[in-house]
Amino acid sequence: MSGTPSSELHCTVLSRRETMTSTKLVFLFSVAVISLGTVRTAEADLPHVEISNWAIRFGAQMWEIGKQVTRIREIKERYQSEAKIEQVDGFAMVKEMAEEMENMMGDKIEAIKRIMDAAEQLSVSHPRLSRQDLYEMRQRAETIEYYNAKRLNMYHKSGPKAGELLDNHKELIMSNSQHFGNVGVNTSVSAVHVPTNVFDGGPDVMNGILWSEQLDRIFMTNYESDPSLTWQYFGSSTGFMRQYPATKWGQGEWEPDLFDCRLRPWYLQAAASPKDMIILVDTSGSMTGVRKEIAKHVVLTLLDTLSENDFINIYKFSEVPVPVVPCFKDKLVQANLENVRELRNGMMESETSDIANFTSAFTTAFEILAKYNRTTQGSQCNQAIMLVTDGAPVGYREIFEKYNWPHKPVRVFTYVIGREIIDTAATNWMACANKGYFARVTSLAEVREQVLKYIPVLSRPMVMYQKDHPVIWTSAYIDIAEPKLSDWLWEIRERRKQRDRSLNYRALLRLISERNNAQSDDTSNVTGNNTRDASGRPTISMTVEQYLTYGNLVNEERLNAHRIKQEREEAANPANNQQHNRQGKSVTSTTPNPVSSVPTKHPDGPRAEALVKPDTLKAWLKRIETRTKPKFLMAISVATPVYDRKNFSVRTANLLGVAGTDIPVTELKKRTPAYKLGVNGYSFIVNNNGFVLHHPDHRPLDADGLLKPNYNTVDLSEVELVDSDGGPRENDTYLMTMRREMIERREGETSFKVRVHHDGMRRVSVRRQRYYYRGLKGTPYSLGLALPDGYGHFRVVAETEVKRLMADHNINVSSFFSGKNWKIHPDWIYCRYNYDHLKSFDSPEAQVMHFVDRTQRERWRWNSKHPRPSHDSARSHKQDDNFYCDKHLMQSLIFDAQATEVFDKNISLSIDRQDPHAMFKLFGISVAFVATRSGLLRWQDISTIDDKHFSEANLNAIDQTWYKRAVDQYSVEPDSFVYSVPFSTGTGITNESVVTASHAIFVEKGGYKAPAAVVGLQYKNSAFRETFFNITSGCTGGVQCRRTCSSGDLSCYVVDNHGYIVISKEERDTGRFFGEIDWLVMDSLIHYGVFKRVRIYDYQAVCKDMQGHRSAANFILTPLRYMKWFVQWMVGRATWLILQTQIAHLMNPDWAWAMEQEQADYHNEDNDESPGPTPTGGEFMADGDISIIVHDEAVTMDNAYANKTRPRPCDQQADLYVLQPEKLFKGDKPDSVKGKQNCNSNNLGARQCERHYSTHKIPHSNLLLLVIDTTCRCETQKQKIEMEEVRVNESLFCERPQENLYRLRPSVCLSYHPEEEEIKQCGKGSLQLPSLLLMTTTMIYSILKAI
């Protein structure tokens, strides 16, 4: 144990240190022997009484150590003497928090209305520039100056112009703002974003940019009056977006940019009321080649224009209409991400044949829409049919007369595909006669613009009413991210995985060949059992699969673990580099060779090994992580439409755009302070669809940091897991009643039991919670609070009034925060200035200390109300009083600092007054800590075991699992610690690991109790194990033991209350689920009730479907197929060039830029100047510490293929386990559970024997001691805790989990105006002559396609 005496720790520690005279420590190690009764003769072989004594001694010793080190008594006495307990009124709390949110949201509505009013006035008063005016300006070399967000602060990197601005770019001074997500902003101006597919020199766009520039004054006034405002914007119907404050766009002008404000949720929902939509796609024989591709992109773009308040279905039709998703037949489905994803996938594969039957297609669409209108399903607002075809022979008047006239409840929009189509009269008439719009789409480049023309048509009734400006609120969504962006990133990752595997495969073949050639000369490296190679270096054995996956980049932590182990060996005995381990085996180590910083060929070429430097590996992994794990910000938006009020010579109703602002979800959470909710309490918000905006169990990202396919459509019933014996998705009455009332924005209260998971769904707690909820006025949201029964309804009230303390005792409160061993919760608001530019701080602690000093000034006053809009611009920038302080939180923090001040003193306990950390060293303690209700974290330590210090990993201590589990444990056993180890402890991928112990300090008064703080400590795992084996290696009273935990025929385990191993003889078992070691014994404990099985469901899971790969034999068997594909490819590309389209759009839109980006990745990785090895399998790092051995296995071509996957939303389940401590007691006395297993019962010829085990509760802990007699060798079974997909019957396959759940439609629907028929603009088609070349190439393409 590297420099600490804990490796020599024994129960007779007093004999080692004569200076230990404290009577407390005498009691520490003297524990009475308790007998548990007479042991039956059949079980006499197991020393049950002694096992019980071991459990009692170990538990008592660790409890006393923890009490002394963490100062439990002193801290508790301070709280107990001065603190009060206050009962929580749940209704009053939810009302107060809801009103705070309503005020904040009301301020945002007022802000966007000011933007809307100004925009409507500016557009009318601005003199319009015609196309001729713009042309003349260009002739005079005059330009219209504005800040283009994609042309800011970009410079030449090399050449004679190095350091100069790129052409047509501008320079803008920016400063990083924490309020705006730590990006550079300029709050004096706004910037304009123009989508890639929009020409920023067009008259409509340029005029909009010009008049909207004057919105900057409104933007700045809004921000100066309301410092909580974030991004403000105006999205124009022409495509550009003006955003305040100005910031540089994430993508440059020539980089792929998928963003278009007209496809964002806030724009789509504000621009038009909800809609039911059926898309009819012509798949007749003429819709082949280019037309088919364009039609597919039209449909995919239409899907991008939908929100969760819309309903959708897609039918392909030739002779008969067929739904693209069979499960959606004869229905409309909510346009949430999951359903839209299914529809997109259904459009990827479609065959064209036969003749289009328009009558059947229209009939099906009208009947479905009529059914939903009659049965009050769907949106109950706009209804539309979108026809995508290359032409219709007639207008089918009789169909419209039967189903749609005279009231025309269904609008018809027609998209005619192809440049060569001459006669468009029929499709044009269909749209104009049914209040729709006609659009011709001739190339992929114009798909988006043509599709988006239907939005202004749907907005006409709203615009014509003029006075009504509906305010809409969106669901939570990822800022500036597209759903398809996640698919694109997933595809990039899968391609990178395949590339690395291919390179590793080539390297492996070469290495094996070289090794086989030299095997007669050097065979030391292929010996699987050796721990060192011929050069004396530690070896890591690898399978072929491991090498193909990792190549040279073997797991960083495993390498570090071997490195640290070797350093310990050398430091322990530098004279001869030899050390004896616990088992008495001799391990020889060698001095490490110098480490090279660049990839080089390993000098020992014949050996199949790979060496890598951990430091450079860390840098490489960090670089890869930043490229593949984008940072996302969850936000909601509030928006309102902006109308064009100009007078025209003909009747029209134009939508200018949408004005809006964002509210980060973190801003909503600030209105429900965690310290008021208490430990294990939380808030959540639900919208009109039952989807959560935020919830502690809402997990929008998967394990790889990518967006989940349905990240923002997570229902309340999917995050509140009711404790019941039912199966998956069986709705609980209490939960569904609460959900319905929250959707209807009622006020209410309920209570039920829930299952709460921790630690990545490896642990579960079952507790009863009480819920309080209330609607938020003026929004579609409801706020809910969840408080645990019991302690959750009581709070410790203890505050220090600074002025009184100074007046009565003349104490400087800053002295309570002495030293550097303390931190505060980084996400809580104690005190802050309302604007970043007023004052900046290096850390949250520095900010708190600044305000602590200010509280001691004479004229100090608390500004405890969240800032509200003020139009006094002089006051808004005044530093002295432009701040916010939470008075109760700050005064609680000061009290906690004073109460825990004792923790800042050295803990010597009279062991060695010369060494203030003697207690830590003696017992292998690395850190002791205390975390309080006010977010204060204090600690003492003598070493840092992990790369990341304890304080850095536990800044938000009150949110950590060890804090929450300690509070729950208090009701089970008040005088106890909760022990836990990392799950990776025994896997070899961590360094010297730790055992974390935590204990909750409760204040108890008047029969009530509430948590005030949690104290704890971390032991080095090796010291913790050694303490246990020192106790269990002997018997009480010095009696000679025949069998102990150190003997070979007893297996001793210390298992926590969820079945995970804390201590085992085999160190590699630490952190593993006990069922992985011996499931038969674990199953027996479940049978006897020691553990209870609790099934947990994950309704937000992502399953990965394997895509597989093509066999190499496929090409040999069918070469003509590949020749046909090649000719098709050539003809298709030629046609595209003739049509003058964008080549990049030939591919799936989700992958439109994937290949270009992938090529850029290759270039960057090969030429990046940052440190780190190139991820190829053929190059090695010169490192003398580690040797990685690849086992001899059969290697075939199939090994080179990675199992490429695609994400899919799914449900998963797992069985977790919870200790039932009452089963280990008889009354109030501890008892044991004894069991046996009949071995070889299936083998009649074998010697029959029984394996006994004994289980005892370890007092003062959440642990139990399990001792198994291994004399009788039994076959064991193993079972891991793994999430498995919930399989459904085929009859239920088409049922959507959320399809039948209650939802509330938006309150505003503007779908009809009696004068709309007077508007005659419905699109026009131009006559064009057919192209002989186009017809020829299209015909050839169609013939080849039919082969």
Side-chain angles (χ1 to χ4, degrees):
M1 282 191 21
S2 182
T4 68
S6 55
S7 58
E8 304 172 10
L9 181 63
H10 295 283
C11 294
T12 58
V13 98
L14 291 175
S15 65
R16 293 177 51 229
R17 291 184 177 267
E18 297 179 355
T19 60
M20 297 173 62
T21 58
S22 172
T23 57
K24 295 179 182 178
L25 289 180
V26 172
F27 172 76
L28 182 65
F29 304 111
S30 59
V31 183
V33 178
I34 301 177
S35 174
L36 297 182
T38 306
V39 181
R40 295 195 300 266
T41 305
E43 299 167 338
D45 287 341
L46 273 179
H48 294 287
V49 174
E50 201 57 52
I51 293 173
S52 177
N53 291 335
W54 290 339
I56 294 172
R57 291 177 60 196
F58 181 64
Q61 177 167 327
M62 303 315 294
W63 167 246
E64 290 299 328
I65 293 173
K67 278 203 310 181
Q68 300 299 331
V69 172
T70 60
R71 302 295 181 91
I72 290 177
R73 182 179 60 81
E74 293 95 323
I75 296 175
K76 185 168 185 175
E77 286 178 355
R78 183 61 185 269
Y79 279 104
Q80 192 68 36
S81 61
E82 300 186 31
K84 298 184 297 183
I85 291 186
E86 186 178 84
Q87 189 167 4
V88 175
D89 185 339
F91 274 119
M93 181 183 291
V94 74
K95 180 181 178 181
E96 176 189 352
M97 293 179 175
E99 288 176 350
E100 277 279 351
M101 283 193 181
E102 289 167 359
N103 291 336
M104 182 266 291
M105 292 176 169
D107 296 339
K108 305 303 177 284
I109 292 176
E110 293 302 315
I112 65 169
K113 284 186 176 180
R114 285 192 287 271
I115 300 172
M116 176 266 297
D117 288 335
E120 292 182 350
Q121 295 173 14
L122 290 170
S123 68
V124 173
S125 60
H126 173 73
R128 178 178 174 82
L129 296 177
S130 65
R131 189 180 301 272
Q132 181 64 28
D133 294 333
L134 293 173
Y135 173 76
E136 292 176 357
M137 289 179 64
R138 285 194 292 269
Q139 291 298 107
R140 297 192 300 266
E142 297 178 8
T143 58
I144 297 176
E145 299 293 331
Y146 70 97
Y147 290 106
N148 188 320
K150 293 193 284 188
R151 300 176 190 167
L152 289 177
N153 299 347
M154 296 187 70
Y155 306 89
H156 290 280
K157 295 182 180 179
S158 59
K161 293 186 177 182
E164 297 181 13
L165 277 172
L166 296 177
D167 295 340
N168 299 322
H169 282 62
K170 284 193 172 186
E171 188 173 42
L172 185 62
I173 298 175
M174 299 183 186
S175 58
N176 282 347
S177 171
Q178 185 178 1
H179 181 67
F180 291 98
N182 289 318
V183 299
V185 298
N186 186 309
T187 56
S188 300
V189 293
S190 63
V192 174
H193 173 272
V194 183
T196 304
N197 59 294
V198 173
F199 174 50
D200 61 356
D204 291 336
V205 176
M206 288 308 306
N207 278 283
I209 291 175
L210 279 173
W211 67 253
S212 65
E213 186 176 7
Q214 300 179 58
L215 289 176
D216 286 2
R217 175 174 50 85
I218 305 300
F219 290 146
M220 288 187 285
T221 301
N222 283 341
Y223 181 52
E224 288 173 356
S225 64
D226 183 3
S228 66
L229 270 173
T230 56
W231 304 105
Q232 303 173 68
Y233 39 79
F234 168 75
S236 170
S237 59
T238 61
F240 78 86
M241 181 184 74
R242 184 173 289 278
Q243 177 177 272
Y244 175 89
T247 187
K248 182 179 177 181
W249 203 253
Q251 292 83 22
E253 187 177 13
W254 304 110
E255 296 177 337
D257 179 19
L258 300 177
F259 184 87
D260 188 327
C261 68
R262 296 168 297 178
L263 295 177
R264 303 306 290 156
W266 51 268
Y267 186 98
L268 294 168
Q269 293 182 42
S273 296
K275 51 192 170 291
D276 298 336
M277 178 186 292
I278 291 183
I279 304 174
L280 301 177
V281 187
D282 183 354
T283 56
S284 61
S286 61
M287 290 287 289
T288 58
V290 178
R291 296 181 190 175
K292 179 179 176 182
E293 286 296 318
I294 296 176
K296 181 177 71 174
H297 283 69
V298 167
V299 175
L300 296 179
T301 306
L302 282 169
L303 292 177
D304 289 339
T305 65
L306 302 176
S307 71
E308 65 188 38
N309 291 320
D310 300 324
F311 287 78
I312 179 66
N313 203 348
I314 304 175
Y315 274 80
K316 300 179 293 186
F317 72 96
S318 52
E319 289 187 347
V320 293
V322 178
V324 296
V325 178
C327 288
F328 295 169
K329 184 178 181 180
D330 296 330
K331 66 169 67 171
L332 295 173
V333 295
Q334 189 177 13
N336 56 43
L337 288 182
E338 185 173 352
N339 289 334
V340 169
R341 187 185 187 86
E342 290 288 329
L343 292 168
R344 291 176 69 90
N345 291 338
M347 281 300 300
M348 290 301 116
E349 297 182 5
S350 60
E351 297 295 331
T352 56
S353 62
D354 302 323
I355 300 174
N357 186 341
F358 287 89
T359 301
S360 176
F362 276 122
T363 300
T364 299
F366 276 119
E367 288 180 350
I368 293 175
L369 292 173
K371 180 183 71 173
Y372 273 72
N373 195 23
R374 289 193 309 270
T375 58
T376 67
Q377 300 180 70
S379 68
Q380 290 295 297
C381 196
N382 286 300
Q383 290 191 324
I385 295 175
M386 324 300 280
L387 176 64
V388 184
T389 181
D390 60 350
V394 295
Y396 298 97
R397 183 185 185 94
E398 65 279 4
I399 297 295
F400 300 112
E401 288 179 343
K402 178 179 179 180
Y403 289 102
N404 205 38
W405 293 356
H407 302 296
K408 301 179 183 178
V410 180
R411 298 176 186 267
V412 178
F413 296 87
T414 56
Y415 297 91
V416 174
I417 310 300
R419 186 185 298 270
E420 68 280 3
I421 304 302
I422 300 175
D423 185 10
T424 60
T427 50
N428 196 335
W429 177 85
M430 290 179 190
C432 294
N434 293 277
K435 297 196 300 185
Y437 199 88
F438 166 84
R440 178 195 289 274
V441 188
T442 61
S443 68
L444 288 169
E446 62 181 17
V447 166
R448 181 180 290 181
E449 288 305 308
Q450 294 298 333
V451 166
L452 287 174
K453 288 180 179 179
Y454 90 88
I455 298 290
V457 176
L458 289 183
S459 70
R460 283 175 182 172
M462 182 171 59
V463 176
M464 295 179 74
Y465 281 110
Q466 289 289 308
K467 293 184 179 180
D468 293 325
H469 287 78
V471 174
I472 65 94
W473 295 85
T474 68
S475 281
Y477 65 96
I478 295 297
D479 187 30
I480 312 186
E482 299 283 347
K484 55 190 175 186
L485 179 63
S486 186
D487 293 341
W488 172 65
L489 290 173
W490 190 288
E491 180 67 20
I492 290 294
R493 190 191 61 178
E494 293 297 303
R495 292 181 181 183
R496 187 175 291 125
K497 182 173 68 174
Q498 177 62 73
R499 180 200 61 190
D500 291 344
R501 189 178 182 93
S502 299
L503 294 172
N504 291 335
Y505 171 77
R506 290 165 55 191
L508 182 62
L509 291 181
R510 183 174 65 254
L511 293 172
I512 291 177
S513 175
E514 293 173 349
R515 184 183 62 177
N516 291 338
N517 293 337
Q519 193 166 11
S520 58
D521 299 326
D522 183 2
T523 59
S524 60
N525 62 306
V526 296
T527 306
N529 297 327
N530 289 346
T531 60
R532 294 185 179 272
D533 67 3
S535 302
R537 291 171 298 203
T539 61
I540 298 179
S541 296
M542 299 180 68
T543 63
V544 166
E545 179 62 29
Q546 288 172 329
Y547 186 86
L548 290 173
T549 302
Y550 299 109
N552 296 348
L553 301 174
V554 183
N555 191 287
E556 172 189 13
E557 286 81 6
R558 291 175 64 185
L559 294 175
N560 279 333
H562 281 265
R563 182 187 298 277
I564 290 176
K565 183 177 180 180
Q566 180 175 350
E567 289 173 354
R568 286 199 186 116
E569 293 171 355
E570 295 166 358
N573 196 349
N576 56 7
N577 290 329
Q578 191 172 38
Q579 176 188 1
H580 291 275
N581 59 13
R582 175 181 292 277
Q583 285 75 25
K585 298 178 181 179
S586 177
V587 180
T588 303
S589 62
T590 58
T591 304
N593 297 329
V595 178
S596 172
S597 61
V598 296
T600 60
K601 294 286 185 180
H602 195 274
D604 299 330
R607 279 201 289 243
E609 60 184 23
L611 306 173
V612 63
K613 179 181 176 183
D615 292 338
T616 56
L617 174 60
K618 182 188 296 184
W620 186 86
L621 290 174
K622 185 176 182 180
R623 197 171 80 244
I624 292 297
E625 181 176 343
T626 57
R627 270 212 311 269
T628 58
K629 291 189 177 181
K631 294 183 179 179
F632 298 117
L633 172 67
M634 292 287 287
I636 62 172
S637 295
V638 55
T640 191
V642 180
Y643 306 148
D644 187 351
R645 297 185 180 275
K646 292 191 292 289
N647 293 322
F648 294 90
S649 57
V650 295
R651 188 64 187 267
T652 186
N654 295 332
L655 179 74
L656 275 182
V658 172
T661 184
D662 290 344
I663 304 176
V665 170
T666 53
E667 193 67 27
L668 299 177
K669 294 179 182 178
K670 291 175 183 177
R671 266 56 183 186
T672 59
Y675 79 93
K676 291 185 179 180
L677 298 172
V679 61
N680 289 320
Y682 56 88
S683 65
F684 55 96
I685 298 179
V686 175
N687 72 358
N688 61 297
N689 287 298
F691 301 150
V692 294
L693 273 64
H694 83 82
H695 188 284
D697 193 33
H698 181 208
R699 292 165 278 120
L701 304 182
D702 65 9
D704 300 307
L706 299 181
L707 277 177
K708 293 181 178 179
N710 57 341
Y711 77 96
N712 71 340
T713 55
V714 177
D715 193 81
L716 178 63
S717 60
E718 296 174 332
V719 290
E720 291 291 337
L721 306 180
V722 180
D723 181 41
S724 68
D725 296 329
R729 294 192 181 272
E730 290 192 5
N731 297 327
D732 178 80
T733 303
Y734 291 103
L735 172 61
M736 300 313 292
T737 300
M738 179 181 75
R739 180 185 179 277
R740 185 184 186 99
E741 292 183 349
M742 290 189 72
I743 289 174
E744 296 173 348
R745 296 189 292 282
R746 299 184 190 175
E747 186 178 45
E749 173 192 11
T750 189
S751 176
F752 48 84
K753 274 189 174 183
V754 293
R755 298 172 181 175
V756 182
H757 60 83
H758 312 283
D759 290 337
M761 290 194 164
R762 291 185 177 96
R763 306 182 193 275
V764 63
S765 301
V766 179
R767 60 169 170 262
R768 178 170 292 277
Q769 295 188 154
R770 187 161 293 275
Y771 296 85
Y772 305 90
Y773 46 91
R774 177 188 174 96
L776 299 177
K777 296 177 183 177
T779 75
Y781 309 136
S782 282
L783 171 66
L785 305 180
L787 304 177
D789 264 2
Y791 66 81
H793 285 77
F794 298 94
R795 296 288 177 270
V796 171
V797 180
E799 300 180 12
T800 296
E801 295 187 19
V802 179
K803 294 289 182 65
R804 180 175 297 179
L805 186 66
M806 292 178 61
D808 296 346
H809 303 285
N810 194 26
I811 296 177
N812 184 353
V813 296
S814 299
S815 63
F816 302 150
F817 298 91
S818 60
K820 297 182 178 180
N821 285 9
W822 65 274
K823 288 186 181 296
I824 59 171
H825 199 297
D827 300 329
W828 290 6
I829 300 177
Y830 297 86
C831 288
R832 69 173 184 188
Y833 287 103
N834 293 328
Y835 297 95
D836 292 342
H837 67 268
L838 294 179
K839 193 170 182 62
S840 59
F841 300 94
D842 295 333
S843 65
E845 292 73 35
Q847 183 168 315
V848 162
M849 289 307 301
H850 169 80
F851 282 99
V852 167
D853 292 337
R854 288 196 61 176
T855 60
Q856 302 174 75
R857 300 177 186 175
E858 290 185 2
R859 296 185 178 180
W860 167 260
R861 65 182 182 85
W862 297 95
N863 289 340
S864 296
K865 294 289 185 181
H866 283 284
R868 297 293 305 279
S870 169
H871 298 285
D872 182 358
S873 59
R875 181 184 180 278
S876 65
H877 287 280
K878 189 178 178 183
Q879 178 171 337
D880 290 342
D881 62 352
N882 202 333
F883 63 86
Y884 164 78
C885 263
D886 191 320
K887 179 180 178 181
H888 296 296
L889 181 57
M890 277 292 286
Q891 292 189 159
S892 297
L893 176 68
I894 295 172
F895 179 90
D896 290 351
Q898 187 179 11
T900 59
E901 194 177 16
V902 62
F903 208 83
D904 203 36
K905 299 177 181 178
N906 293 326
I907 304 173
S908 59
L909 301 179
S910 303
I911 295 178
D912 187 347
R913 298 187 182 277
Q914 307 255 329
D915 186 355
H917 294 109
M919 188 77 166
F920 281 64
K921 294 178 181 179
L922 177 63
F923 297 110
I925 299 169
S926 61
V927 63
F929 56 87
V930 57
T932 71
R933 70 215 159 97
S934 65
L936 176 65
L937 174 67
R938 270 196 151 116
W939 71 90
Q940 277 196 353
D941 61 351
I942 59 172
S943 65
T944 301
I945 292 178
D946 297 316
D947 293 338
K948 199 170 186 179
H949 189 267
F950 171 83
S951 63
E952 297 177 7
N954 295 273
L955 286 174
N956 53 343
I958 196 171
D959 303 322
Q960 295 295 320
T961 302
W962 52 260
Y963 194 109
K964 296 179 177 181
R965 292 181 66 201
V967 172
D968 282 339
Q969 174 71 12
Y970 190 87
S971 61
V972 177
E973 189 175 1
D975 294 337
S976 65
F977 279 92
V978 172
Y979 296 90
S980 63
V981 295
F983 297 108
S984 58
T985 297
T987 62
I989 67 171
T990 57
N991 305 332
E992 172 75 27
S993 59
V994 294
V995 179
T996 302
S998 56
H999 167 80
I1001 293 179
F1002 273 66
V1003 176
E1004 302 185 27
K1005 289 188 176 181
Y1008 302 130
K1009 56 186 178 181
V1014 168
V1015 297
L1017 63 163
Q1018 286 187 338
Y1019 299 91
K1020 295 180 181 179
N1021 186 50
S1022 55
F1024 194 73
R1025 294 179 72 253
E1026 193 156 2
T1027 301
F1028 171 77
F1029 283 108
N1030 283 336
I1031 291 175
T1032 59
S1033 295
C1035 291
T1036 309
V1039 179
Q1040 184 68 26
C1041 291
R1042 187 171 66 88
R1043 307 179 74 187
T1044 68
C1045 286
S1046 297
S1047 58
D1049 54 358
L1050 288 184
S1051 291
C1052 299
Y1053 300 92
V1054 174
V1055 182
D1056 72 8
N1057 57 327
H1058 293 286
Y1060 293 97
I1061 298 172
V1062 178
I1063 298 176
S1064 169
K1065 275 186 180 180
E1066 299 293 336
E1067 192 170 354
R1068 65 175 179 269
D1069 295 339
T1070 309
R1072 298 171 66 187
F1073 175 57
F1074 181 72
E1076 296 181 43
I1077 309 302
D1078 195 328
W1079 171 247
L1080 294 178
V1081 173
M1082 184 68 191
D1083 190 50
S1084 177
L1085 293 174
I1086 297 170
H1087 173 74
Y1088 286 119
V1090 177
F1091 282 95
K1092 179 182 178 181
R1093 180 185 284 107
V1094 179
R1095 178 160 292 181
I1096 197 81
Y1097 295 100
D1098 183 5
Y1099 299 127
Q1100 305 172 60
V1102 175
C1103 294
K1104 301 176 182 179
D1105 292 333
M1106 310 298 282
Q1107 288 186 300
H1109 63 271
R1110 295 183 182 273
S1111 170
N1114 195 30
F1115 181 81
I1116 300 174
L1117 293 175
T1118 58
L1120 291 177
R1121 181 188 305 174
Y1122 285 85
M1123 292 176 63
K1124 184 191 76 170
W1125 287 346
F1126 175 74
V1127 175
Q1128 284 181 339
W1129 181 85
M1130 291 295 294
V1131 174
R1133 295 310 187 269
T1135 306
W1136 246 259
L1137 292 174
I1138 295 169
L1139 291 173
Q1140 297 179 350
T1141 61
Q1142 299 176 5
I1143 296 177
H1145 288 290
L1146 282 170
M1147 292 171 275
N1148 183 308
D1150 295 354
W1151 306 342
W1153 300 97
M1155 185 58 68
E1156 294 186 15
Q1157 182 66 33
E1158 188 69 9
Q1159 292 168 350
D1161 287 344
Y1162 286 108
H1163 176 76
N1164 291 340
E1165 289 174 2
D1166 292 340
N1167 299 281
D1168 198 343
E1169 296 178 357
S1170 60
T1174 310
T1176 64
E1179 299 193 46
F1180 302 96
M1181 302 297 295
D1183 188 332
D1185 290 351
I1186 310 296
S1187 175
I1188 300 169
I1189 309 303
V1190 180
H1191 297 300
D1192 283 321
E1193 298 179 25
V1195 181
T1196 65
M1197 184 65 182
D1198 287 339
N1199 294 116
Y1201 293 104
N1203 291 320
K1204 296 183 70 174
T1205 60
R1206 296 296 291 171
R1208 169 178 54 85
C1210 65
D1211 294 346
Q1212 293 183 342
Q1213 65 183 20
D1215 287 334
L1216 305 180
Y1217 304 89
V1218 180
L1219 179 66
Q1220 307 298 299
E1222 65 276 6
K1223 296 293 183 179
L1224 297 172
F1225 283 85
K1226 276 189 178 179
D1228 58 350
K1229 294 184 179 180
D1231 192 19
S1232 62
V1233 171
K1234 309 175 185 67
K1236 63 182 179 179
Q1237 177 187 355
N1238 187 13
C1239 300
N1240 301 322
S1241 58
N1242 296 327
N1243 189 354
L1244 299 178
R1247 183 178 66 88
Q1248 299 298 309
C1249 63
E1250 294 178 340
R1251 184 175 62 162
H1252 294 265
Y1253 68 85
S1254 182
T1255 308
H1256 300 258
K1257 176 73 170 61
I1258 297 178
H1260 305 295
S1261 74
N1262 65 320
L1263 308 175
L1264 60 86
L1265 173 60
L1266 174 61
V1267 179
I1268 304 174
D1269 186 350
T1270 58
T1271 304
C1272 181
R1273 300 296 179 182
C1274 289
E1275 295 182 1
T1276 60
Q1277 297 179 10
K1278 299 181 180 181
Q1279 181 168 312
K1280 292 183 178 181
I1281 292 181
E1282 293 180 332
M1283 300 298 295
E1284 298 178 349
E1285 183 174 1
V1286 178
R1287 300 294 180 180
V1288 297
N1289 297 330
E1290 290 187 8
S1291 59
L1292 303 176
F1293 179 76
C1294 284
E1295 290 190 9
R1296 302 284 101 180
Q1298 301 174 355
E1299 186 174 8
N1300 298 318
L1301 294 179
Y1302 177 75
R1303 62 179 296 273
L1304 194 65
R1305 300 180 188 89
S1307 58
V1308 177
C1309 172
L1310 297 174
S1311 61
Y1312 172 78
H1313 192 280
E1315 300 176 6
E1316 186 184 351
E1317 294 279 3
E1318 298 178 12
I1319 300 176
K1320 301 303 180 183
Q1321 295 93 343
C1322 59
K1324 294 181 180 180
S1326 59
L1327 295 178
Q1328 300 184 21
L1329 295 177
S1331 166
L1332 180 61
L1333 180 59
L1334 282 174
M1335 293 178 64
T1336 304
T1337 55
T1338 303
M1339 186 179 299
I1340 295 173
Y1341 189 93
S1342 302
I1343 294 172
L1344 288 171
K1345 195 72 176 178
I1347 296 178

